[in-house]
Coordinates of all heavy atoms in Angstrom, one line a residue:
M1 N 0.9 -1.2 0.0 CA 0.0 0.0 0.0 C 0.9 1.2 0.0 O 1.8 1.4 0.8 CB -0.9 -0.1 1.2 CG -1.9 1.2 1.3 SD -3.0 0.9 2.7 CE -4.0 2.1 2.4
A2 N 0.6 2.1 -0.9 CA 1.4 3.4 -1.0 C 1.1 4.3 0.1 O 0.0 4.4 0.6 CB 1.2 4.0 -2.4
E3 N 2.1 5.2 0.5 CA 1.8 6.2 1.5 C 1.0 7.3 1.0 O 1.0 7.6 -0.3 CB 3.1 6.9 2.0 CG 3.8 6.0 3.0 CD 5.0 6.8 3.6 OE1 4.9 8.0 3.9 OE2 6.1 6.2 3.7
R4 N 0.1 7.9 1.8 CA -0.7 9.0 1.3 C 0.2 10.2 1.1 O 1.2 10.5 1.8 CB -1.8 9.4 2.3 CG -2.9 8.4 2.2 CD -4.1 8.7 3.1 NE -4.2 10.0 3.7 CZ -5.2 10.3 4.4 NH1 -6.2 9.5 4.7 NH2 -5.3 11.6 5.0
D5 N -0.2 11.1 0.2 CA 0.5 12.3 -0.1 C 0.3 13.2 1.1 O -0.9 13.5 1.4 CB 0.0 12.9 -1.4 CG 0.7 14.1 -1.8 OD1 1.2 14.9 -1.0 OD2 0.8 14.3 -3.1
P6 N 1.3 13.8 1.6 CA 1.1 14.7 2.8 C 0.2 15.9 2.4 O -0.4 16.5 3.3 CB 2.6 15.2 3.2 CG 3.5 14.5 2.3 CD 2.7 13.6 1.3
R7 N 0.2 16.3 1.2 CA -0.6 17.5 0.8 C -2.1 17.1 1.0 O -2.9 17.9 1.3 CB -0.3 17.9 -0.6 CG 1.1 18.5 -0.8 CD 1.4 18.7 -2.2 NE 1.5 17.4 -2.9 CZ 1.8 17.2 -4.2 NH1 2.0 18.2 -5.0 NH2 1.8 16.0 -4.7
L8 N -2.4 15.8 0.7 CA -3.8 15.3 0.9 C -4.1 15.3 2.3 O -5.3 15.8 2.7 CB -3.9 14.0 0.2 CG -5.3 13.3 0.4 CD1 -6.3 14.2 -0.4 CD2 -5.3 11.9 -0.2
D9 N -3.2 14.9 3.2 CA -3.4 15.0 4.6 C -3.7 16.4 5.1 O -4.5 16.6 6.0 CB -2.2 14.4 5.4 CG -2.1 12.9 5.2 OD1 -3.1 12.3 4.9 OD2 -1.0 12.3 5.4
A10 N -2.9 17.3 4.5 CA -3.2 18.8 5.0 C -4.6 19.3 4.6 O -5.2 20.0 5.3 CB -2.1 19.6 4.3
I11 N -5.1 18.7 3.5 CA -6.4 19.2 3.1 C -7.5 18.4 3.9 O -8.5 19.0 4.3 CB -6.6 18.9 1.6 CG1 -5.7 19.8 0.7 CG2 -8.1 19.1 1.2 CD1 -5.6 19.4 -0.7
L12 N -7.3 17.1 4.1 CA -8.3 16.3 4.7 C -8.3 16.5 6.3 O -9.3 16.2 6.9 CB -8.2 14.8 4.4 CG -8.4 14.5 2.9 CD1 -8.1 13.0 2.7 CD2 -9.8 14.9 2.5
G13 N -7.2 16.8 6.8 CA -7.0 16.9 8.3 C -6.9 15.5 8.9 O -6.8 14.5 8.2
P14 N -6.8 15.5 10.2 CA -6.6 14.2 10.9 C -7.8 13.3 10.7 O -8.9 13.6 10.6 CB -6.4 14.7 12.4 CG -7.1 15.9 12.5 CD -7.0 16.6 11.1
A15 N -7.4 11.9 10.8 CA -8.4 10.9 10.7 C -9.2 10.7 12.0 O -10.3 10.3 12.0 CB -7.8 9.6 10.2
G16 N -8.5 11.0 13.0 CA -9.2 10.8 14.4 C -9.8 12.0 14.9 O -10.1 13.0 14.2
P17 N -9.9 12.1 16.2 CA -10.5 13.2 17.0 C -9.7 14.5 16.7 O -8.5 14.4 16.5 CB -10.5 12.9 18.4 CG -10.0 11.5 18.5 CD -9.4 11.1 17.2
E18 N -10.4 15.6 16.6 CA -9.8 16.9 16.3 C -9.9 17.8 17.6 O -11.0 17.8 18.2 CB -10.4 17.6 15.2 CG -10.1 16.8 13.8 CD -10.6 17.7 12.6 OE1 -10.4 18.9 12.6 OE2 -11.1 17.0 11.7
L19 N -8.9 18.5 17.9 CA -8.9 19.5 19.0 C -8.9 20.8 18.4 O -8.1 21.0 17.4 CB -7.7 19.3 19.9 CG -7.6 17.9 20.8 CD1 -6.4 18.0 21.6 CD2 -8.8 17.8 21.6
T20 N -9.5 21.8 19.1 CA -9.3 23.1 18.7 C -8.1 23.7 19.5 O -7.5 23.1 20.3 CB -10.5 24.1 19.2 OG1 -10.6 24.0 20.6 CG2 -11.9 23.5 18.6
C21 N -7.6 24.9 19.1 CA -6.5 25.5 19.7 C -6.8 25.8 21.2 O -6.0 25.5 22.1 CB -6.1 26.8 19.0 SG -5.4 26.5 17.4
D22 N -8.1 26.2 21.5 CA -8.5 26.4 22.9 C -8.4 25.1 23.7 O -7.9 25.1 24.8 CB -9.9 27.0 23.0 CG -9.9 28.4 22.5 OD1 -8.9 29.1 22.5 OD2 -11.0 28.8 22.1
E23 N -8.9 24.0 23.1 CA -8.8 22.7 23.8 C -7.4 22.2 24.0 O -7.1 21.8 25.0 CB -9.6 21.6 23.0 CG -11.1 21.9 23.0 CD -11.8 21.0 22.0 OE1 -11.2 20.6 20.9 OE2 -12.9 20.6 22.3
C24 N -6.6 22.5 22.9 CA -5.2 22.1 23.0 C -4.5 23.0 24.2 O -3.8 22.4 25.0 CB -4.5 22.4 21.7 SG -2.7 22.1 21.7
F25 N -4.7 24.2 24.2 CA -4.1 25.0 25.2 C -4.5 24.7 26.6 O -3.7 24.6 27.6 CB -4.4 26.5 25.0 CG -3.6 27.5 25.8 CD1 -2.3 27.7 25.7 CD2 -4.4 28.1 26.9 CE1 -1.7 28.6 26.6 CE2 -3.7 28.9 27.8 CZ -2.3 29.2 27.6
A26 N -5.8 24.3 26.8 CA -6.3 24.0 28.0 C -5.7 22.7 28.6 O -5.6 22.6 29.9 CB -7.9 23.9 28.0
R27 N -5.3 21.8 27.8 CA -4.8 20.5 28.2 C -3.3 20.3 27.9 O -2.8 19.2 28.2 CB -5.6 19.4 27.5 CG -7.1 19.5 27.9 CD -7.9 18.3 27.7 NE -7.5 17.2 28.6 CZ -7.9 16.0 28.4 NH1 -8.8 15.7 27.4 NH2 -7.5 15.0 29.2
L28 N -2.7 21.3 27.5 CA -1.3 21.2 27.1 C -0.4 20.9 28.2 O 0.5 20.0 28.2 CB -0.7 22.5 26.5 CG 0.6 22.4 25.7 CD1 0.7 21.3 24.7 CD2 1.0 23.7 25.1
D29 N -0.6 21.5 29.4 CA 0.2 21.1 30.6 C 0.1 19.6 31.0 O 1.0 18.9 31.3 CB -0.1 22.1 31.8 CG -1.5 22.0 32.2 OD1 -2.4 21.7 31.4 OD2 -1.8 22.4 33.3
E30 N -1.2 19.2 30.9 CA -1.5 17.8 31.2 C -0.7 16.8 30.2 O -0.1 15.8 30.6 CB -2.9 17.5 31.2 CG -3.4 16.1 31.5 CD -4.8 15.8 31.2 OE1 -5.6 16.7 30.9 OE2 -5.3 14.7 31.4
F31 N -0.8 17.2 29.0 CA -0.1 16.4 27.9 C 1.4 16.3 28.1 O 2.0 15.2 28.1 CB -0.5 17.0 26.6 CG -0.1 16.2 25.4 CD1 -0.8 15.1 25.0 CD2 1.1 16.4 24.6 CE1 -0.5 14.3 23.9 CE2 1.4 15.7 23.6 CZ 0.6 14.6 23.2
V32 N 2.0 17.5 28.5 CA 3.4 17.5 28.7 C 3.8 16.7 29.9 O 4.8 15.9 29.8 CB 3.9 19.0 28.8 CG1 5.3 19.0 29.3 CG2 3.9 19.6 27.4
E33 N 3.1 16.8 31.0 CA 3.3 16.0 32.2 C 3.2 14.5 31.8 O 4.1 13.7 32.3 CB 2.3 16.3 33.3 CG 2.6 17.7 33.9 CD 3.9 17.8 34.7 OE1 4.4 16.8 35.1 OE2 4.3 18.9 34.9
L34 N 2.2 14.1 31.1 CA 2.1 12.7 30.7 C 3.3 12.3 29.8 O 3.8 11.2 30.0 CB 0.8 12.4 29.9 CG -0.5 12.5 30.8 CD1 -1.7 12.7 29.8 CD2 -0.6 11.4 31.7
E35 N 3.7 13.1 28.9 CA 4.9 12.7 28.0 C 6.1 12.5 28.9 O 6.8 11.6 28.6 CB 5.1 13.9 27.0 CG 4.2 14.0 25.8 CD 4.6 15.1 24.9 OE1 4.7 16.3 25.3 OE2 4.8 14.7 23.7
L36 N 6.4 13.5 29.7 CA 7.6 13.5 30.5 C 7.6 12.3 31.5 O 8.6 11.8 31.9 CB 7.9 14.8 31.2 CG 8.3 15.9 30.2 CD1 8.4 17.2 31.0 CD2 9.6 15.6 29.5
G37 N 6.4 11.9 31.9 CA 6.2 10.8 32.9 C 6.3 9.4 32.2 O 6.2 8.5 32.9
G38 N 6.4 9.4 30.9 CA 6.5 8.1 30.2 C 5.1 7.5 29.9 O 5.0 6.3 29.5
A39 N 4.0 8.2 30.2 CA 2.7 7.7 29.9 C 2.3 7.9 28.5 O 3.0 8.6 27.7 CB 1.6 8.4 30.8
D40 N 1.3 7.2 28.0 CA 0.8 7.3 26.6 C -0.1 8.5 26.5 O -1.3 8.5 26.7 CB 0.1 6.0 26.2 CG -0.4 6.0 24.8 OD1 -0.2 7.0 24.1 OD2 -0.9 5.0 24.3
A41 N 0.6 9.7 26.3 CA -0.1 10.9 26.3 C -1.2 11.1 25.2 O -2.2 11.6 25.5 CB 0.9 12.1 26.2
E42 N -0.9 10.5 24.0 CA -1.8 10.5 22.9 C -3.1 9.7 23.3 O -4.1 10.1 22.9 CB -1.2 10.0 21.7 CG -2.1 10.1 20.5 CD -2.7 11.4 20.1 OE1 -2.1 12.5 20.4 OE2 -3.9 11.4 19.6
R43 N -2.9 8.6 24.0 CA -4.1 7.8 24.4 C -5.0 8.6 25.4 O -6.2 8.5 25.4 CB -3.6 6.5 24.9 CG -4.8 5.6 25.2 CD -4.3 4.2 25.5 NE -5.4 3.3 25.6 CZ -5.4 2.1 26.2 NH1 -4.3 1.7 26.8 NH2 -6.4 1.4 26.3
A44 N -4.3 9.3 26.3 CA -5.0 10.0 27.3 C -5.7 11.2 26.7 O -6.8 11.6 27.2 CB -4.0 10.4 28.4
I45 N -5.1 11.9 25.8 CA -5.7 13.0 25.1 C -5.7 12.8 23.6 O -4.8 13.3 22.9 CB -5.0 14.4 25.5 CG1 -4.8 14.4 27.0 CG2 -5.6 15.6 25.0 CD1 -4.0 15.6 27.5
P46 N -6.7 12.1 23.1 CA -6.7 11.8 21.7 C -6.8 13.0 20.8 O -7.5 14.0 21.1 CB -8.0 11.0 21.5 CG -8.3 10.4 22.9 CD -7.7 11.5 23.8
G47 N -6.1 13.1 19.7 CA -6.1 14.2 18.8 C -5.0 15.3 19.1 O -4.8 16.1 18.2
M48 N -4.4 15.2 20.3 CA -3.4 16.2 20.6 C -2.2 16.2 19.7 O -1.9 17.2 19.2 CB -3.0 16.1 22.1 CG -2.0 17.1 22.5 SD -2.7 18.8 22.7 CE -3.2 18.8 24.3
R49 N -1.7 15.1 19.5 CA -0.5 14.9 18.7 C -0.7 15.4 17.2 O 0.0 16.2 16.7 CB 0.0 13.4 18.7 CG 1.3 13.2 17.9 CD 2.5 13.5 18.6 NE 2.6 12.8 19.9 CZ 3.3 13.4 20.9 NH1 3.9 14.6 20.8 NH2 3.4 12.8 22.1
E50 N -1.9 15.1 16.7 CA -2.2 15.6 15.4 C -2.4 17.1 15.3 O -2.0 17.7 14.4 CB -3.5 14.9 14.8 CG -3.4 13.5 14.5 CD -3.5 12.5 15.7 OE1 -3.8 13.0 16.8 OE2 -3.5 11.3 15.5
H51 N -3.0 17.7 16.4 CA -3.2 19.1 16.4 C -1.8 19.7 16.5 O -1.6 20.7 15.7 CB -4.0 19.5 17.6 CG -4.3 21.0 17.6 ND1 -5.3 21.6 16.9 CD2 -3.6 22.0 18.2 CE1 -5.2 22.9 17.1 NE2 -4.2 23.1 17.9
L52 N -1.0 19.2 17.3 CA 0.4 19.8 17.4 C 1.1 19.8 16.1 O 1.9 20.7 15.8 CB 1.2 19.2 18.6 CG 0.6 19.4 20.0 CD1 1.3 18.6 21.0 CD2 0.6 20.9 20.4
A53 N 0.9 18.7 15.4 CA 1.6 18.5 14.1 C 1.2 19.5 13.1 O 1.9 19.9 12.2 CB 1.5 17.1 13.6
G54 N -0.1 19.9 13.2 CA -0.7 20.7 12.2 C -0.9 22.2 12.5 O -1.3 23.0 11.7
C55 N -0.5 22.5 13.8 CA -0.8 24.0 14.2 C 0.6 24.5 14.7 O 1.0 24.2 15.7 CB -1.8 23.9 15.3 SG -2.1 25.6 16.0
P56 N 1.2 25.4 13.9 CA 2.5 25.9 14.3 C 2.5 26.6 15.6 O 3.4 26.5 16.4 CB 2.9 26.9 13.1 CG 2.0 26.5 12.0 CD 0.8 25.8 12.6
A57 N 1.5 27.4 15.9 CA 1.4 28.2 17.2 C 1.3 27.2 18.4 O 2.1 27.4 19.4 CB 0.2 29.1 17.2
C58 N 0.5 26.2 18.4 CA 0.3 25.2 19.4 C 1.6 24.4 19.5 O 2.1 24.0 20.6 CB -0.9 24.4 19.3 SG -2.5 25.3 19.6
H59 N 2.2 24.1 18.4 CA 3.4 23.3 18.4 C 4.5 24.0 19.1 O 5.3 23.5 19.9 CB 3.9 23.0 16.9 CG 5.2 22.2 16.8 ND1 5.3 20.9 17.1 CD2 6.4 22.7 16.6 CE1 6.5 20.6 17.0 NE2 7.2 21.6 16.6
E60 N 4.6 25.3 18.8 CA 5.6 26.2 19.5 C 5.3 26.2 21.0 O 6.3 26.1 21.8 CB 5.6 27.6 18.9 CG 6.7 28.5 19.4 CD 6.8 29.8 18.8 OE1 6.4 29.9 17.6 OE2 7.1 30.8 19.5
D61 N 4.1 26.4 21.4 CA 3.8 26.4 22.8 C 4.2 25.0 23.5 O 4.7 25.0 24.6 CB 2.3 26.6 23.0 CG 1.9 28.1 22.8 OD1 2.8 28.9 22.7 OD2 0.7 28.3 22.8
H62 N 3.9 24.0 22.8 CA 4.2 22.6 23.3 C 5.7 22.4 23.4 O 6.2 22.1 24.5 CB 3.7 21.6 22.3 CG 4.2 20.2 22.7 ND1 5.1 19.5 21.9 CD2 3.8 19.3 23.7 CE1 5.3 18.3 22.5 NE2 4.5 18.2 23.5
E63 N 6.5 22.9 22.5 CA 8.0 22.7 22.5 C 8.5 23.6 23.7 O 9.4 23.1 24.4 CB 8.6 23.1 21.2 CG 8.3 22.2 20.1 CD 8.7 20.7 20.3 OE1 10.0 20.6 20.7 OE2 7.9 19.8 20.2
S64 N 8.0 24.7 23.8 CA 8.5 25.7 24.9 C 8.2 25.1 26.3 O 9.0 25.0 27.2 CB 7.8 27.0 24.7 OG 8.3 27.6 23.6
L65 N 6.9 24.6 26.5 CA 6.5 24.0 27.7 C 7.3 22.8 28.1 O 7.7 22.6 29.2 CB 5.0 23.8 27.8 CG 4.4 23.4 29.1 CD1 4.7 24.3 30.2 CD2 2.9 23.1 28.9
L66 N 7.5 22.0 27.0 CA 8.1 20.7 27.2 C 9.6 21.0 27.7 O 10.1 20.4 28.6 CB 8.2 19.9 25.9 CG 8.7 18.5 25.9 CD1 7.8 17.6 26.9 CD2 8.7 18.0 24.5
A67 N 10.3 21.9 27.1 CA 11.7 22.3 27.4 C 11.7 22.9 28.8 O 12.6 22.6 29.6 CB 12.2 23.3 26.4
F68 N 10.7 23.7 29.2 CA 10.7 24.3 30.4 C 10.5 23.3 31.5 O 11.2 23.3 32.6 CB 9.6 25.4 30.5 CG 9.5 26.0 31.9 CD1 10.4 27.0 32.4 CD2 8.4 25.6 32.7 CE1 10.3 27.5 33.6 CE2 8.3 26.2 34.0 CZ 9.2 27.1 34.5
V69 N 9.6 22.5 31.4 CA 9.2 21.4 32.4 C 10.4 20.5 32.5 O 10.8 20.1 33.7 CB 7.9 20.8 32.2 CG1 7.6 19.6 33.1 CG2 6.7 21.8 32.2
A70 N 10.9 20.1 31.4 CA 12.1 19.1 31.5 C 13.2 19.7 32.2 O 13.9 19.1 32.9 CB 12.4 18.7 30.1
G71 N 13.5 21.0 31.9 CA 14.5 21.7 32.6 C 14.3 21.9 34.1 O 15.3 21.8 34.9
E72 N 13.1 22.2 34.4 CA 12.7 22.2 35.9 C 13.0 20.9 36.6 O 13.4 20.9 37.7 CB 11.3 22.7 36.0 CG 11.1 24.1 35.7 CD 11.7 25.1 36.8 OE1 11.5 24.9 38.0 OE2 12.4 26.0 36.3
R73 N 12.6 19.9 35.9 CA 12.8 18.5 36.5 C 14.3 18.2 36.7 O 14.6 17.3 37.5 CB 12.1 17.5 35.7 CG 10.6 17.6 35.8 CD 9.9 16.4 35.1 NE 8.5 16.5 35.4 CZ 7.7 15.6 35.0 NH1 8.1 14.5 34.3 NH2 6.4 15.7 35.2
A74 N 15.1 18.7 35.8 CA 16.5 18.4 35.8 C 17.3 19.1 36.9 O 18.4 18.7 37.2 CB 17.1 18.7 34.4
T75 N 16.7 20.1 37.4 CA 17.4 20.9 38.4 C 17.1 20.4 39.8 O 16.2 19.7 40.1 CB 17.1 22.5 38.4 OG1 15.7 22.6 38.6 CG2 17.5 23.1 37.1

């Protein structure tokens, strides 16, 4: 089976549950805590990973929060 064209994915959007930016922002801290704790964050918050992959603003917030929390835990 051939891979789907990423341009088609961009048009069709995610196959699973979709989150809005507001929903993403409201649960981003929980998602990061789950990720850093080794839990299945995507299973706990379905659609988050897809939203982060498709939304540059939320992706940036995620990366910043992930780095911050990981840095706090390291000190």
Side-chain angles (χ1 to χ4, degrees):
M1 181 174 188
E3 276 188 47
R4 282 185 14 178
D5 186 325
R7 295 173 293 180
L8 181 60
D9 289 338
I11 293 169
L12 296 177
E18 293 186 43
L19 295 178
T20 66
C21 290
D22 288 339
E23 292 168 326
C24 178
F25 185 74
R27 300 200 66 192
L28 192 55
D29 57 338
E30 177 186 358
F31 190 78
V32 166
E33 289 291 338
L34 290 166
E35 284 182 305
L36 292 175
D40 187 351
E42 179 58 29
R43 186 171 186 198
I45 307 174
M48 179 69 88
R49 183 82 52 212
E50 288 87 359
H51 182 83
L52 294 173
C55 179
C58 290
H59 177 78
E60 185 177 326
D61 285 349
H62 172 256
E63 293 299 309
S64 296
L65 184 58
L66 189 62
F68 176 77
V69 173
E72 286 292 308
R73 288 184 176 188
T75 59

